[in-house]
Amino acid sequence: MMERYYLAVDIGASSGKMVLGWMEGETLRTQEVWRFPNGAQKVNGRRCWDPDALFREICAGLRRCAEIGKIPSSMGVDTWGVDFVLLDAKGNRLGDAVAYRDSRTAGMDEVLRSYLSEEELYARTGIQKQIFNTIYQLMAVKTQEPELLEQAEHLLMIPDYLHYLLTGNMAMEYTNASTTQLLDAKTRSWDFELIDRLGLPRRIFSEPKQPGFVLGSLRPELQTELGFDCRVVLPPTHDTGSAVLAVPAQEEDFLFLSSGTWSLFGMERREADCSEASRLANLTNEGGFGGTIRYLKNIMGLWMLQSIRAELGDEYDFARLCSEAEAVGEFPAQIDVDDSSFLAPQSMIEAVRGYCTRTGQPVPQSPGELASCVYHGLARRYHDAVRELETLTGKTCPRLYIVGGGSKDDYLNRLTARATGKEVWTGPSEGTAAGNLLAQMIADGVFADAAQARAAVRRSFPIGTVQ
């Protein structure tokens, strides 16, 4: 019997990978077939993505599948949230694909407050205020480049745009659409009253599709170039949505930490909490697989360590940075890892030192001391997140599941277990790609639902516990 292959295209802020998945008996097997760099570059004075370069890499990965004789029956793309492109009536891109770390949204919260209060916005959408959310980006476009909105007929999030380049069909997928801060948290569709109030054109917002929606086949010219066709099936296109689907939980109530460039710490729920108490705790209600809500806190994550390591150069890999941080222990300066000065500084090292100087604390000098500040800052935020989540939901969860690349960081995992007081399970480290594959396989009838898919994760990937 021929294997039936599925292909996950998982793109993060610094790199992308393409992973094939297939079943061998009861076990999910995976194989990485392509990897490529990504990053925001300065274009026309702004930090921008290059989605056309990403599409070229996806095509190269598809050609690689043909070379190794493993043709996927379906594929799907996931990326980060909030970023988008605008298209004209002919489907051509308007303007640049500006990245969320760009400064164009500075002051847009003041602009938005002239239309409605932050309290009302949260009560409607349930989404945590972050200055880079799509709603603030669109207000920046409206303020700075109104001609783009006048010409636009379609808005597509970054993975939606890549799916469009693959198939010629346009659709906005629900989990990523939820990060726009423009969805009604209760109906899971666009809040058109809000959109009208902001003076944004209704026409650019198409009805969100749920994960599992079959978008279509590859464009005919792409089929000719590749020598094969495959279906494009929408996974949870927001990478955290895919990662949470791969959490190997058996219990209904659990805590998860999707640990990577960002730390997404939360619970899976059936309904959104748009209360004022939830807003004040800075929790967010993002869309999840199967109509669920990812009730979570966005925490800065490993971005800070990635940036410090990049500044230190090739002699420092993550293992060395981690071991030197552990040797330092807890450096006597506490940083708030979610402070805005850490979002996109010219130098993360100077940003950390500057924060400590401003707050009258000892200033870290060595790489180990800098990394120690970040590690312990993350652990403290995880402790706070557990307390807030359990207080607001009234649920106490004994176990915390860590998925994503950060699940391989043993030192951070131990600090997390100590700070949260939870039993910590780790893995799979490629949780986002795994969840992307699982969504496609559920759509294809391999698994009946998320519970069956998660059981396959427990059988198929090494799951560790923190001692």
Side-chain angles (χ1 to χ4, degrees):
M1 177 180 169
M2 288 183 62
E3 307 289 1
R4 192 163 174 83
Y5 297 101
Y6 305 86
L7 180 65
V9 183
D10 173 26
I11 307 176
S14 60
S15 67
K17 55 185 169 293
M18 297 173 66
V19 179
L20 283 167
W22 66 97
M23 296 301 294
E24 288 184 3
E26 295 292 299
T27 302
L28 172 60
R29 300 293 186 197
T30 60
Q31 177 186 353
E32 184 181 300
V33 293
W34 197 248
R35 184 174 282 265
F36 51 92
N38 188 31
Q41 306 294 331
K42 276 291 177 77
V43 179
N44 299 321
R46 289 184 169 145
R47 287 177 180 242
C48 297
W49 306 110
D50 188 346
D52 298 316
L54 295 177
F55 177 65
R56 288 193 294 272
E57 293 288 354
I58 292 171
C59 292
L62 288 168
R63 285 194 292 272
R64 180 61 183 155
C65 291
E67 289 169 8
I68 63 175
K70 296 182 175 179
I71 307 298
S73 61
S74 74
M75 66 179 295
V77 181
D78 68 75
T79 75
W80 60 96
V82 307
D83 288 341
F84 62 91
V85 297
L86 296 171
L87 306 178
D88 65 16
K90 295 182 178 179
N92 298 314
R93 184 152 56 89
L94 296 165
D96 298 313
V98 181
Y100 63 87
R101 292 191 196 274
D102 184 74
S103 61
R104 70 171 171 171
T105 54
M108 287 302 123
D109 50 346
E110 289 295 330
V111 172
L112 202 66
R113 272 196 288 271
S114 68
Y115 292 90
L116 78 168
S117 68
E118 291 179 0
E119 291 84 351
E120 184 188 351
L121 181 59
Y122 189 89
R124 300 178 81 111
T125 68
I127 295 296
Q128 169 188 12
K129 179 192 173 181
Q130 296 185 109
I131 194 62
F132 50 72
N133 285 351
T134 314
I135 191 171
Y136 297 108
Q137 294 197 45
L138 281 169
M139 295 311 288
V141 175
K142 184 184 175 195
T143 304
Q144 300 158 16
E145 301 173 283
E147 69 281 0
L148 294 184
L149 277 180
E150 289 167 12
Q151 297 172 58
E153 292 291 330
H154 309 279
L155 180 148
L156 294 177
M157 308 303 281
I158 295 295
D160 300 329
Y161 180 60
L162 294 170
H163 285 145
Y164 164 63
L165 294 179
L166 285 163
T167 65
N169 300 327
M170 296 186 194
M172 291 188 72
E173 186 274 326
Y174 163 65
T175 65
N176 216 311
S178 74
T179 71
T180 63
Q181 210 170 0
L182 288 163
L183 282 192
D184 182 312
K186 296 179 177 61
T187 66
R188 319 284 171 92
S189 190
W190 299 111
D191 185 338
F192 281 117
E193 183 185 324
L194 171 61
I195 287 165
D196 291 344
R197 201 191 303 185
L198 298 178
L200 299 173
R202 280 191 180 211
R203 66 180 179 276
I204 66 174
F205 300 97
S206 64
E207 187 64 24
K209 303 296 186 185
Q210 289 292 325
F213 178 78
V214 179
L215 188 60
S217 298
L218 298 179
R219 289 177 185 257
E221 59 270 31
L222 196 53
Q223 293 181 36
T224 300
E225 178 195 332
L226 296 171
F228 68 85
D229 185 22
C230 76
R231 297 188 309 166
V232 172
V233 175
L234 303 187
T237 62
H238 187 231
D239 47 14
T240 313
S242 278
V244 172
L245 180 56
V247 168
Q250 300 181 61
E251 62 270 43
E252 185 172 328
D253 295 319
F254 59 88
L255 289 161
F256 64 79
L257 169 56
S258 178
S259 181
T261 300
W262 289 88
S263 291
L264 296 311
F265 201 116
M267 291 180 177
E268 192 174 66
R269 307 195 72 193
R270 301 308 305 182
E271 300 296 335
D273 181 348
C274 299
S275 67
E276 181 65 3
S278 181
R279 185 187 75 86
L280 291 172
N282 218 19
L283 288 161
T284 200
N285 297 268
E286 294 176 352
F289 181 84
T292 57
I293 295 293
R294 291 174 286 124
Y295 190 48
L296 58 84
K297 174 155 283 192
N298 285 281
I299 299 169
M300 193 68 77
L302 298 178
W303 158 251
M304 295 181 71
L305 290 171
Q306 291 163 350
S307 299
I308 289 170
R309 192 204 67 76
E311 286 184 61
L312 293 171
D314 292 341
E315 63 184 284
Y316 269 88
D317 58 13
F318 283 110
R320 179 177 177 184
L321 199 58
C322 178
S323 65
E324 292 189 11
E326 190 168 3
V328 166
E330 187 167 5
F331 186 78
Q334 295 190 3
I335 64 172
D336 175 3
V337 295
D338 289 331
D339 188 82
S340 60
S341 63
F342 302 132
L343 182 62
Q346 291 295 314
S347 164
M348 187 65 74
I349 290 173
E350 293 310 312
V352 172
R353 288 173 177 162
Y355 180 94
C356 293
T357 300
R358 287 196 309 277
T359 53
Q361 301 184 83
V363 178
Q365 298 300 324
S366 71
E369 290 171 349
L370 288 159
S372 171
C373 285
V374 177
Y375 273 118
H376 287 273
L378 286 171
R380 279 191 297 275
R381 295 297 287 132
Y382 299 162
H383 165 269
D384 295 344
V386 167
R387 188 180 69 245
E388 290 162 344
L389 283 160
E390 293 190 337
T391 298
L392 283 164
T393 63
K395 296 180 184 294
T396 301
C397 304
R399 193 172 292 152
L400 166 63
Y401 295 90
I402 303 179
V403 298
S407 69
K408 296 187 287 189
D409 192 323
D410 180 62
Y411 182 49
L412 182 56
N413 293 340
R414 283 183 278 122
L415 290 178
T416 301
R418 193 167 73 203
T420 62
K422 301 300 181 184
E423 178 187 331
V424 171
W425 286 35
T426 61
S429 60
E430 297 292 354
T432 303
N436 182 323
L437 292 169
L438 293 171
Q440 295 180 55
M441 296 168 95
I442 291 171
D444 203 28
V446 177
F447 306 114
D449 52 24
Q452 279 194 10
R454 286 172 171 155
V457 173
R458 294 192 295 274
R459 293 191 300 268
S460 306
F461 296 95
I463 308 298
T465 54
V466 176
Q467 302 302 322

